[in-house]
Amino acid sequence: MADRQLGVGLQGRENGNGPDDLPDTSFTFYTGHMVYTIKHLGGAQMPWKECKPMDERLRFVARLLEGEKMAPLCREFGISRVTGYKIFARYKESGLEGLHDRSRRPYRQANQLPYQVERLILSLKKEHPNWGAPKIRDKILREFSMLKPPAKSTIHAVLDRHGLVKRRKRRRYRAEGTARIHVTEPNLLWCADYKGEFMLGNKHYCYPLTITDYSSRYLLCCEALPSTRSDLAFTAFERVFKEFGLPSAMRTDNGAPFGSGNAFFGLTRLSVWWLRLGIRIERIKPGHPEQNGRHERMHLTLKNDATKPASYNFLQQQERFDRFMQVYNLERPHQGLSGRYPGELFTPSRRAYDPAKEPEYPFHDRTVRVTHCGRICLGKRKISLSLAFAGQLVGIREVEDKIWLVSFMDYDLGFFDQDEGRVEPTTNPFFVEPENL
């Protein structure tokens, strides 16, 4: 019995040398159900156990078919009778295929995301390529409230598994700019800017003019314009004012047509028009676009969703902008709004748009209309003011002997005397510090 169960094969036992004397000698021991191999390498023995379950099951079933009893055969192979009957049943059911190793993976993992939810995540990502895990989760919460929402990390893992996550380098933290006015109600502050120009398919440049409500993030306007000329901006703003009413304040940068570095208080005809309509002007510091961060973040989404690649002409590009506004305002969950849509929070302003009335100056000595070249004409004298006030009525009042104050609406602009031919500006009356608002 021992001879049948144990066979020893030795290689390299010539001349009576033992295994310790051989530089490279292997010894293989065969038992009833295992194969043990010991290989001698330079005097150091490295034992390991090699097991081939398929071969062992074949031998087990073959000996059962030869008529051996189950109980002693299971003891010899070191398995329980339950396992022995299971192996034999698999053989009778599937033949030799039933003796192969089977997957130990459970039929269903407790924390595995359902297949339908995973397909939903991928379909939303395909429909909105620039949405991340937070927005996709918010969308699922709103549209499929009967489903248990997966965690943001789970959604991100699904997107990453399908190669839909872009790897980006970590950016260094940059300090926030100076204090800005913060409002929590719609129409108290609107933001306006031009998204960076880009070339259309017909080789013409497009300058998108965008206007948003600061509190609700509602995108009021996204107009494809051929330039930043003020007459084009006038038309766009007038249309928005007629549709949504007037805001209390407007935040912009210092570029044309909102501001001018060489003009009186940096004003332009557009900003003077806003003052006529009772809209307070708010400007960010030069070189600090982060002070209009909400609006700039919208520009990034606009760039990714509606300008890559650019359309062929202005009509086609405007159609894409209109579709973007629909999605951005009414379909896209906003992380800064706790997953809500901007259209759910925004309401039109109670201040309806009416053409501005001519200002009156009952407490001034004279009312003068500024010429189209930006001058105040008093008899033969011509006093330079600013092109921004061309065609506007200003009030003039003598405050001291031979010194006059020039006012526009409720704002004091500056002074001039009988010798100088220009208005010297006073303290900027249009830009009030946040703590004084």
Side-chain angles (χ1 to χ4, degrees):
M1 187 67 176
D3 293 337
R4 185 175 67 84
Q5 292 184 0
L6 178 63
V8 180
L10 301 179
Q11 300 176 354
R13 277 187 174 269
E14 292 88 359
N15 302 323
N17 294 330
D20 294 338
D21 301 328
L22 299 177
D24 189 357
T25 308
S26 62
F27 304 87
T28 304
F29 301 87
Y30 303 93
T31 67
H33 59 283
M34 282 304 173
V35 179
Y36 297 93
T37 303
I38 299 176
K39 190 170 183 180
H40 188 276
L41 295 174
Q45 294 184 349
M46 299 293 292
W48 65 88
K49 179 168 62 177
E50 180 181 348
C51 177
K52 299 180 180 179
M54 179 62 180
D55 295 341
E56 292 298 299
R57 296 188 192 107
L58 281 173
R59 294 179 57 198
F60 178 83
V61 171
R63 291 177 62 177
L64 281 176
L65 295 176
E66 290 176 358
E68 295 190 32
K69 300 295 183 181
M70 177 66 74
L73 195 58
C74 288
R75 285 195 298 269
E76 180 180 339
F77 277 80
I79 60 176
S80 66
R81 283 183 293 174
V82 174
T83 303
Y85 281 110
K86 182 178 179 180
I87 293 174
F88 194 54
R90 284 169 54 182
Y91 170 80
K92 290 190 293 184
E93 178 181 354
S94 305
L96 293 178
E97 292 296 327
L99 301 181
H100 287 284
D101 289 336
R102 293 185 175 181
S103 174
R104 293 178 173 84
R105 181 181 180 183
Y107 292 106
R108 182 184 182 278
Q109 298 182 14
N111 297 323
Q112 185 181 19
L113 192 67
Y115 173 80
Q116 295 83 355
V117 178
E118 183 169 342
R119 301 309 303 174
L120 174 62
I121 294 172
L122 296 177
S123 65
L124 287 174
K125 182 66 175 179
K126 182 179 180 181
E127 184 178 356
H128 305 281
N130 297 305
W131 285 13
K135 283 187 173 53
I136 292 177
R137 186 178 187 273
D138 291 339
K139 188 70 173 178
I140 293 175
L141 276 172
R142 295 182 61 90
E143 302 293 337
F144 305 94
S145 57
M146 74 293 296
L147 296 177
K148 181 180 179 181
K152 297 177 185 177
S153 58
T154 302
I155 297 177
H156 185 85
V158 171
L159 299 177
D160 187 63
R161 187 163 61 247
H162 289 82
L164 300 176
V165 175
K166 295 181 180 179
R167 305 293 182 181
R168 296 182 180 179
K169 294 182 178 180
R170 185 177 181 181
R171 296 182 178 179
R172 294 184 178 180
Y173 172 79
R174 290 186 177 181
E176 193 176 24
T178 57
R180 291 154 287 165
I181 299 174
H182 178 73
V183 297
T184 57
E185 296 179 11
N187 303 308
L188 294 181
L189 176 64
W190 287 5
C191 303
D193 198 5
Y194 282 89
K195 185 211 165 294
E197 73 277 7
F198 61 94
M199 184 178 289
L200 299 175
N202 58 4
K203 305 303 180 182
H204 292 173
Y205 278 98
C206 177
Y207 297 79
L209 172 62
T210 57
I211 309 171
T212 58
D213 177 70
Y214 178 85
S215 174
S216 65
R217 279 81 160 179
Y218 191 89
L219 182 57
L220 302 159
C221 172
C222 185
E223 194 79 9
L225 300 178
S227 71
T228 59
R229 294 201 322 265
S230 59
D231 57 336
L232 300 175
F234 268 97
T235 303
F237 276 99
E238 187 174 33
R239 178 182 60 80
V240 174
F241 291 160
K242 289 179 178 179
E243 183 177 0
F244 299 104
L246 299 176
S248 298
M250 186 78 70
R251 176 184 291 175
T252 67
D253 59 16
N254 299 274
F258 312 121
S260 175
N262 300 322
F264 207 83
F265 295 129
L267 294 173
T268 62
R269 294 187 180 186
L270 180 64
S271 53
V272 168
W273 178 54
W274 291 344
L275 294 173
R276 286 276 308 273
L277 295 173
I279 301 173
R280 182 171 44 82
I281 297 174
E282 182 180 330
R283 299 270 178 82
I284 64 174
K285 293 178 63 176
H288 288 272
E290 74 279 1
Q291 293 184 356
N292 205 9
R294 294 185 180 185
H295 199 79
E296 295 295 338
R297 180 59 183 85
M298 180 276 298
H299 277 176
L300 177 60
T301 306
L302 172 65
K303 177 182 177 181
N304 292 332
D305 288 4
T307 66
K308 291 185 176 181
S311 300
Y312 180 76
N313 55 34
F314 282 97
L315 289 177
Q316 295 176 0
Q317 189 61 56
Q318 186 60 55
E319 183 179 2
R320 292 177 64 185
F321 285 163
D322 293 341
R323 172 56 185 162
F324 172 79
M325 291 180 60
Q326 174 72 18
V327 174
Y328 188 86
N329 290 332
L330 303 175
E331 299 179 20
R332 177 183 182 270
H334 200 294
Q335 191 173 357
L337 301 176
S338 301
R340 290 174 292 180
Y341 304 149
E344 294 177 324
L345 303 179
F346 178 78
T347 55
S349 175
R350 296 180 181 179
R351 299 178 56 203
Y353 169 77
D354 290 318
K357 297 180 179 180
E358 293 283 3
E360 298 178 356
Y361 303 95
F363 302 104
H364 288 68
D365 300 331
R366 299 181 62 176
T367 299
V368 181
R369 188 175 298 277
V370 181
T371 65
H372 290 287
C373 57
R375 293 175 179 177
I376 299 173
C377 293
L378 298 175
K380 295 183 178 180
R381 291 193 63 190
K382 295 181 180 179
I383 298 97
S384 298
L385 179 61
S386 173
L387 281 173
F389 295 96
Q392 304 294 337
L393 290 178
V394 297
I396 298 176
R397 177 167 57 94
E398 189 174 8
V399 292
E400 292 183 20
D401 187 33
K402 305 300 181 180
I403 296 178
W404 290 269
L405 170 68
V406 179
S407 300
F408 174 70
M409 298 178 58
D410 296 329
Y411 305 101
D412 295 332
L413 302 180
F415 304 91
F416 70 92
D417 56 28
Q418 63 178 359
D419 299 323
E420 294 293 332
R422 64 177 183 273
V423 177
E424 294 293 334
T426 182
T427 304
N428 193 332
F430 303 106
F431 310 120
V432 185
E433 293 298 328
E435 57 267 22
N436 298 327
L437 293 174

